[in-house]
Tab-separated table of all heavy atoms in Angstrom:
chain	number	residue	atom	x	y	z
B	98	GLU	N	-21.398	22.608	-23.099
B	98	GLU	CA	-22.594	22.959	-22.347
B	98	GLU	C	-23.207	24.299	-22.690
B	98	GLU	O	-24.402	24.482	-22.661
B	98	GLU	CB	-22.318	22.858	-20.808
B	98	GLU	CG	-22.231	21.422	-20.331
B	98	GLU	CD	-21.590	21.293	-19.058
B	98	GLU	OE1	-20.593	22.015	-18.782
B	98	GLU	OE2	-22.035	20.511	-18.186
B	99	SER	N	-22.334	25.234	-23.005
B	99	SER	CA	-22.922	26.550	-23.363
B	99	SER	C	-23.639	26.469	-24.695
B	99	SER	O	-24.606	27.222	-24.861
B	99	SER	CB	-21.807	27.617	-23.398
B	99	SER	OG	-20.852	27.359	-24.379
B	100	LEU	N	-23.278	25.484	-25.557
B	100	LEU	CA	-24.072	25.346	-26.761
B	100	LEU	C	-25.485	24.886	-26.395
B	100	LEU	O	-26.440	25.347	-27.029
B	100	LEU	CB	-23.450	24.177	-27.574
B	100	LEU	CG	-22.581	24.633	-28.739
B	100	LEU	CD1	-22.162	23.337	-29.545
B	100	LEU	CD2	-23.211	25.599	-29.643
B	101	ILE	N	-25.575	24.031	-25.413
B	101	ILE	CA	-26.916	23.611	-24.991
B	101	ILE	C	-27.694	24.833	-24.461
B	101	ILE	O	-28.859	25.033	-24.735
B	101	ILE	CB	-26.812	22.551	-23.915
B	101	ILE	CG1	-26.310	21.247	-24.612
B	101	ILE	CG2	-28.160	22.303	-23.224
B	101	ILE	CD1	-26.137	20.114	-23.642
B	102	PHE	N	-27.008	25.636	-23.702
B	102	PHE	CA	-27.687	26.788	-23.098
B	102	PHE	C	-27.984	27.878	-24.078
B	102	PHE	O	-28.888	28.621	-23.906
B	102	PHE	CB	-26.936	27.248	-21.835
B	102	PHE	CG	-27.309	26.341	-20.734
B	102	PHE	CD1	-26.499	25.295	-20.443
B	102	PHE	CD2	-28.519	26.486	-20.059
B	102	PHE	CE1	-26.883	24.359	-19.493
B	102	PHE	CE2	-28.896	25.599	-19.096
B	102	PHE	CZ	-28.039	24.546	-18.795
B	103	ASP	N	-27.123	27.910	-25.167
B	103	ASP	CA	-27.567	28.860	-26.231
B	103	ASP	C	-28.798	28.315	-26.898
B	103	ASP	O	-29.479	29.045	-27.643
B	103	ASP	CB	-26.372	28.910	-27.262
B	103	ASP	CG	-25.245	29.755	-26.741
B	103	ASP	OD1	-25.427	30.462	-25.752
B	103	ASP	OD2	-24.121	29.654	-27.335
B	104	SER	N	-29.100	27.070	-26.619
B	104	SER	CA	-30.224	26.475	-27.262
B	104	SER	C	-31.499	26.584	-26.521
B	104	SER	O	-32.528	26.119	-26.938
B	104	SER	CB	-29.960	25.033	-27.543
B	104	SER	OG	-28.733	24.821	-28.135
B	105	ILE	N	-31.432	27.213	-25.380
B	105	ILE	CA	-32.699	27.530	-24.685
B	105	ILE	C	-32.825	29.030	-24.622
B	105	ILE	O	-31.806	29.760	-24.757
B	105	ILE	CB	-32.870	26.897	-23.281
B	105	ILE	CG1	-31.848	27.497	-22.317
B	105	ILE	CG2	-32.733	25.400	-23.355
B	105	ILE	CD1	-32.092	27.115	-20.876
B	106	SER	N	-34.055	29.512	-24.382
B	106	SER	CA	-34.249	30.890	-24.343
B	106	SER	C	-34.667	31.267	-22.904
B	106	SER	O	-35.827	31.074	-22.529
B	106	SER	CB	-35.346	31.259	-25.346
B	106	SER	OG	-35.741	32.561	-25.199
B	107	LEU	N	-33.705	31.673	-22.125
B	107	LEU	CA	-34.007	31.896	-20.718
B	107	LEU	C	-34.667	33.336	-20.634
B	107	LEU	O	-33.933	34.297	-20.712
B	107	LEU	CB	-32.740	31.824	-19.850
B	107	LEU	CG	-32.934	31.918	-18.325
B	107	LEU	CD1	-33.854	30.825	-17.829
B	107	LEU	CD2	-31.585	31.828	-17.619
B	108	ASP	N	-35.972	33.345	-20.500
B	108	ASP	CA	-36.625	34.589	-20.624
B	108	ASP	C	-36.840	35.345	-19.312
B	108	ASP	O	-37.144	36.529	-19.306
B	108	ASP	CB	-38.006	34.324	-21.312
B	108	ASP	CG	-37.857	33.911	-22.757
B	108	ASP	OD1	-36.932	34.491	-23.378
B	108	ASP	OD2	-38.597	33.071	-23.266
B	109	TYR	N	-36.661	34.665	-18.253
B	109	TYR	CA	-36.804	35.388	-16.981
B	109	TYR	C	-36.019	34.610	-15.885
B	109	TYR	O	-36.186	33.411	-15.731
B	109	TYR	CB	-38.357	35.395	-16.561
B	109	TYR	CG	-38.629	36.044	-15.203
B	109	TYR	CD1	-38.867	37.361	-15.154
B	109	TYR	CD2	-38.614	35.256	-14.054
B	109	TYR	CE1	-39.169	37.941	-13.944
B	109	TYR	CE2	-38.876	35.868	-12.821
B	109	TYR	CZ	-39.118	37.198	-12.766
B	109	TYR	OH	-39.426	37.809	-11.548
B	110	HIS	N	-35.101	35.297	-15.274
B	110	HIS	CA	-34.355	34.774	-14.141
B	110	HIS	C	-33.919	35.979	-13.350
B	110	HIS	O	-32.974	36.644	-13.768
B	110	HIS	CB	-33.233	33.928	-14.645
B	110	HIS	CG	-32.501	33.180	-13.495
B	110	HIS	ND1	-32.059	33.849	-12.377
B	110	HIS	CD2	-32.197	31.859	-13.337
B	110	HIS	CE1	-31.450	32.877	-11.546
B	110	HIS	NE2	-31.609	31.755	-12.101
B	111	HIS	N	-34.538	36.285	-12.267
B	111	HIS	CA	-34.328	37.611	-11.686
B	111	HIS	C	-32.884	37.830	-11.108
B	111	HIS	O	-32.499	38.947	-10.895
B	111	HIS	CB	-35.415	38.076	-10.757
B	111	HIS	CG	-35.477	37.380	-9.450
B	111	HIS	ND1	-36.685	37.026	-8.867
B	111	HIS	CD2	-34.569	36.956	-8.632
B	111	HIS	CE1	-36.496	36.418	-7.698
B	111	HIS	NE2	-35.187	36.308	-7.556
B	112	THR	N	-32.158	36.722	-10.896
B	112	THR	CA	-30.784	36.895	-10.503
B	112	THR	C	-29.813	37.240	-11.676
B	112	THR	O	-28.926	37.980	-11.546
B	112	THR	CB	-30.264	35.644	-9.791
B	112	THR	OG1	-31.186	35.224	-8.823
B	112	THR	CG2	-28.912	35.874	-9.053
B	113	LEU	N	-30.119	36.546	-12.834
B	113	LEU	CA	-29.231	36.677	-13.949
B	113	LEU	C	-29.603	37.761	-14.962
B	113	LEU	O	-28.774	38.258	-15.697
B	113	LEU	CB	-29.191	35.316	-14.713
B	113	LEU	CG	-28.647	34.107	-13.916
B	113	LEU	CD1	-28.701	32.843	-14.815
B	113	LEU	CD2	-27.231	34.346	-13.433
B	114	GLN	N	-30.878	38.185	-14.919
B	114	GLN	CA	-31.235	39.135	-15.945
B	114	GLN	C	-30.903	40.600	-15.528
B	114	GLN	O	-30.775	40.883	-14.429
B	114	GLN	CB	-32.757	39.077	-16.282
B	114	GLN	CG	-33.638	39.538	-15.122
B	114	GLN	CD	-35.091	39.097	-15.365
B	114	GLN	OE1	-35.764	38.814	-14.422
B	114	GLN	NE2	-35.495	39.074	-16.557
B	115	ALA	N	-30.673	41.373	-16.562
B	115	ALA	CA	-30.335	42.827	-16.287
B	115	ALA	C	-31.541	43.571	-15.889
B	115	ALA	O	-31.490	44.458	-15.019
B	115	ALA	CB	-29.690	43.426	-17.622
B	116	ALA	N	-32.669	43.300	-16.529
B	116	ALA	CA	-33.901	44.053	-16.176
B	116	ALA	C	-34.361	43.842	-14.785
B	116	ALA	O	-34.049	42.755	-14.192
B	116	ALA	CB	-35.010	43.644	-17.162
B	117	ALA	N	-35.001	44.818	-14.151
B	117	ALA	CA	-35.515	44.614	-12.781
B	117	ALA	C	-36.892	45.169	-12.703
B	117	ALA	O	-37.379	45.787	-13.632
B	117	ALA	CB	-34.567	45.348	-11.845
B	118	GLY	N	-37.569	44.862	-11.610
B	118	GLY	CA	-38.884	45.474	-11.306
B	118	GLY	C	-39.843	45.150	-12.424
B	118	GLY	O	-39.956	44.056	-12.903
B	119	HIS	N	-40.562	46.223	-12.866
B	119	HIS	CA	-41.714	46.020	-13.814
B	119	HIS	C	-41.230	45.522	-15.140
B	119	HIS	O	-41.890	44.787	-15.814
B	119	HIS	CB	-42.495	47.346	-13.920
B	119	HIS	CG	-43.215	47.662	-12.629
B	119	HIS	ND1	-44.171	46.780	-12.069
B	119	HIS	CD2	-43.089	48.703	-11.791
B	119	HIS	CE1	-44.551	47.324	-10.937
B	119	HIS	NE2	-43.919	48.484	-10.721
B	120	ALA	N	-40.033	46.054	-15.608
B	120	ALA	CA	-39.525	45.568	-16.928
B	120	ALA	C	-39.321	44.050	-16.875
B	120	ALA	O	-39.591	43.381	-17.867
B	120	ALA	CB	-38.237	46.305	-17.221
B	121	ALA	N	-38.778	43.545	-15.770
B	121	ALA	CA	-38.537	42.071	-15.652
B	121	ALA	C	-39.844	41.374	-15.648
B	121	ALA	O	-39.975	40.364	-16.334
B	121	ALA	CB	-37.778	41.843	-14.366
B	122	GLU	N	-40.793	41.896	-14.963
B	122	GLU	CA	-42.145	41.192	-14.866
B	122	GLU	C	-42.812	41.212	-16.232
B	122	GLU	O	-43.487	40.224	-16.654
B	122	GLU	CB	-43.051	41.867	-13.825
B	122	GLU	CG	-42.543	41.690	-12.374
B	122	GLU	CD	-42.072	40.304	-12.118
B	122	GLU	OE1	-42.771	39.315	-12.338
B	122	GLU	OE2	-40.940	40.179	-11.650
B	123	GLU	N	-42.568	42.298	-17.016
B	123	GLU	CA	-43.153	42.379	-18.301
B	123	GLU	C	-42.561	41.266	-19.225
B	123	GLU	O	-43.231	40.654	-19.983
B	123	GLU	CB	-42.876	43.740	-18.945
B	123	GLU	CG	-43.749	44.075	-20.079
B	123	GLU	CD	-43.365	45.488	-20.725
B	123	GLU	OE1	-42.767	46.314	-20.002
B	123	GLU	OE2	-43.631	45.634	-21.900
B	124	ALA	N	-41.183	41.073	-19.101
B	124	ALA	CA	-40.502	40.035	-19.866
B	124	ALA	C	-41.154	38.659	-19.577
B	124	ALA	O	-41.388	37.881	-20.456
B	124	ALA	CB	-39.062	40.022	-19.595
B	125	ARG	N	-41.456	38.459	-18.294
B	125	ARG	CA	-42.031	37.180	-17.895
B	125	ARG	C	-43.443	37.020	-18.516
B	125	ARG	O	-43.777	36.001	-19.080
B	125	ARG	CB	-42.122	37.095	-16.384
B	125	ARG	CG	-42.734	35.862	-15.847
B	125	ARG	CD	-42.680	35.735	-14.334
B	125	ARG	NE	-43.436	36.798	-13.665
B	125	ARG	CZ	-44.733	36.716	-13.312
B	125	ARG	NH1	-45.365	35.617	-13.649
B	125	ARG	NH2	-45.356	37.720	-12.725
B	126	GLU	N	-44.232	38.085	-18.409
B	126	GLU	CA	-45.589	37.980	-18.955
B	126	GLU	C	-45.559	37.803	-20.456
B	126	GLU	O	-46.354	36.992	-20.963
B	126	GLU	CB	-46.341	39.281	-18.580
B	126	GLU	CG	-46.868	39.190	-17.159
B	126	GLU	CD	-47.089	40.562	-16.542
B	126	GLU	OE1	-47.238	41.572	-17.339
B	126	GLU	OE2	-47.131	40.677	-15.337
B	127	ILE	N	-44.681	38.484	-21.173
B	127	ILE	CA	-44.596	38.315	-22.626
B	127	ILE	C	-44.186	36.867	-22.962
B	127	ILE	O	-44.782	36.233	-23.847
B	127	ILE	CB	-43.576	39.312	-23.255
B	127	ILE	CG1	-44.191	40.731	-23.152
B	127	ILE	CG2	-43.343	39.015	-24.716
B	127	ILE	CD1	-43.236	41.840	-23.553
B	128	ALA	N	-43.154	36.360	-22.267
B	128	ALA	CA	-42.683	35.030	-22.529
B	128	ALA	C	-43.841	33.985	-22.258
B	128	ALA	O	-43.995	33.057	-23.064
B	128	ALA	CB	-41.524	34.645	-21.663
B	129	MET	N	-44.616	34.231	-21.213
B	129	MET	CA	-45.771	33.333	-20.928
B	129	MET	C	-46.765	33.394	-22.067
B	129	MET	O	-47.292	32.327	-22.456
B	129	MET	CB	-46.407	33.735	-19.631
B	129	MET	CG	-45.616	33.329	-18.364
B	129	MET	SD	-46.244	34.127	-16.929
B	129	MET	CE	-47.916	33.588	-16.845
B	130	GLU	N	-47.069	34.560	-22.518
B	130	GLU	CA	-48.108	34.770	-23.519
B	130	GLU	C	-47.666	34.124	-24.833
B	130	GLU	O	-48.434	33.345	-25.470
B	130	GLU	CB	-48.286	36.213	-23.695
B	130	GLU	CG	-49.701	36.584	-24.260
B	130	GLU	CD	-49.725	38.099	-24.404
B	130	GLU	OE1	-49.553	38.815	-23.361
B	130	GLU	OE2	-49.888	38.609	-25.513
B	131	GLU	N	-46.429	34.408	-25.233
B	131	GLU	CA	-45.917	33.936	-26.529
B	131	GLU	C	-45.778	32.412	-26.599
B	131	GLU	O	-45.831	31.799	-27.601
B	131	GLU	CB	-44.516	34.557	-26.835
B	131	GLU	CG	-44.548	36.016	-27.087
B	131	GLU	CD	-45.260	36.334	-28.424
B	131	GLU	OE1	-45.166	35.509	-29.314
B	131	GLU	OE2	-45.888	37.400	-28.448
B	132	ASN	N	-45.457	31.837	-25.412
B	132	ASN	CA	-45.154	30.416	-25.407
B	132	ASN	C	-46.150	29.601	-24.517
B	132	ASN	O	-45.819	28.517	-23.972
B	132	ASN	CB	-43.769	30.196	-24.861
B	132	ASN	CG	-42.719	30.969	-25.670
B	132	ASN	OD1	-42.464	30.646	-26.763
B	132	ASN	ND2	-42.153	32.026	-25.023
B	133	TYR	N	-47.374	30.132	-24.448
B	133	TYR	CA	-48.352	29.472	-23.503
B	133	TYR	C	-48.523	27.977	-23.752
B	133	TYR	O	-48.692	27.571	-24.937
B	133	TYR	CB	-49.691	30.176	-23.598
B	133	TYR	CG	-50.543	29.974	-22.405
B	133	TYR	CD1	-50.395	30.750	-21.220
B	133	TYR	CD2	-51.445	28.922	-22.354
B	133	TYR	CE1	-51.146	30.500	-20.125
B	133	TYR	CE2	-52.189	28.687	-21.193
B	133	TYR	CZ	-52.040	29.467	-20.075
B	133	TYR	OH	-52.777	29.163	-18.952
B	134	GLY	N	-48.380	27.212	-22.778
B	134	GLY	CA	-48.565	25.769	-22.884
B	134	GLY	C	-47.276	25.026	-23.311
B	134	GLY	O	-47.212	23.858	-23.342
B	135	LYS	N	-46.220	25.849	-23.661
B	135	LYS	CA	-45.016	25.251	-24.169
B	135	LYS	C	-43.738	25.517	-23.330
B	135	LYS	O	-42.724	24.913	-23.501
B	135	LYS	CB	-44.753	25.731	-25.613
B	135	LYS	CG	-45.710	25.128	-26.604
B	135	LYS	CD	-45.379	25.462	-28.040
B	135	LYS	CE	-45.640	26.941	-28.228
B	135	LYS	NZ	-45.675	27.382	-29.613
B	136	TYR	N	-43.748	26.556	-22.520
B	136	TYR	CA	-42.533	26.917	-21.803
B	136	TYR	C	-42.278	25.989	-20.661
B	136	TYR	O	-43.161	25.262	-20.121
B	136	TYR	CB	-42.573	28.374	-21.378
B	136	TYR	CG	-43.672	28.811	-20.414
B	136	TYR	CD1	-43.539	28.641	-19.087
B	136	TYR	CD2	-44.749	29.466	-20.943
B	136	TYR	CE1	-44.576	28.993	-18.238
B	136	TYR	CE2	-45.771	29.892	-20.103
B	136	TYR	CZ	-45.703	29.682	-18.701
B	136	TYR	OH	-46.675	30.023	-17.888
B	137	LEU	N	-40.995	25.979	-20.318
B	137	LEU	CA	-40.532	25.206	-19.180
B	137	LEU	C	-40.392	26.119	-17.965
B	137	LEU	O	-39.832	27.134	-18.065
B	137	LEU	CB	-39.192	24.584	-19.564
B	137	LEU	CG	-38.587	23.512	-18.746
B	137	LEU	CD1	-39.453	22.296	-18.737
B	137	LEU	CD2	-37.184	23.134	-19.286
B	138	LEU	N	-40.982	25.715	-16.840
B	138	LEU	CA	-40.849	26.582	-15.641
B	138	LEU	C	-39.838	25.903	-14.716
B	138	LEU	O	-40.011	24.708	-14.340
B	138	LEU	CB	-42.264	26.702	-14.998
B	138	LEU	CG	-42.230	27.385	-13.604
B	138	LEU	CD1	-41.683	28.788	-13.684
B	138	LEU	CD2	-43.692	27.383	-13.036
B	139	VAL	N	-38.859	26.668	-14.353
B	139	VAL	CA	-37.871	26.120	-13.345
B	139	VAL	C	-38.026	26.928	-12.098
B	139	VAL	O	-38.196	28.178	-12.162
B	139	VAL	CB	-36.393	26.301	-13.853
B	139	VAL	CG1	-35.414	25.728	-12.885
B	139	VAL	CG2	-36.273	25.656	-15.257
Side-chain angles (χ1 to χ4, degrees):
Chain B
E98 282 164 320
S99 64
L100 261 187
I101 290 177
F102 281 93
D103 285 344
S104 311
I105 67 169
S106 172
L107 187 59
D108 290 324
Y109 177 91
H110 187 307
H111 72 218
T112 311
L113 299 179
Q114 70 194 143
H119 293 299
E122 294 317 306
E123 198 184 334
R125 178 174 64 88
E126 278 155 22
I127 291 173
M129 283 168 59
E130 204 180 301
E131 290 293 327
N132 304 291
Y133 200 84
K135 287 186 288 194
Y136 59 84
L137 192 60
L138 173 60
V139 183

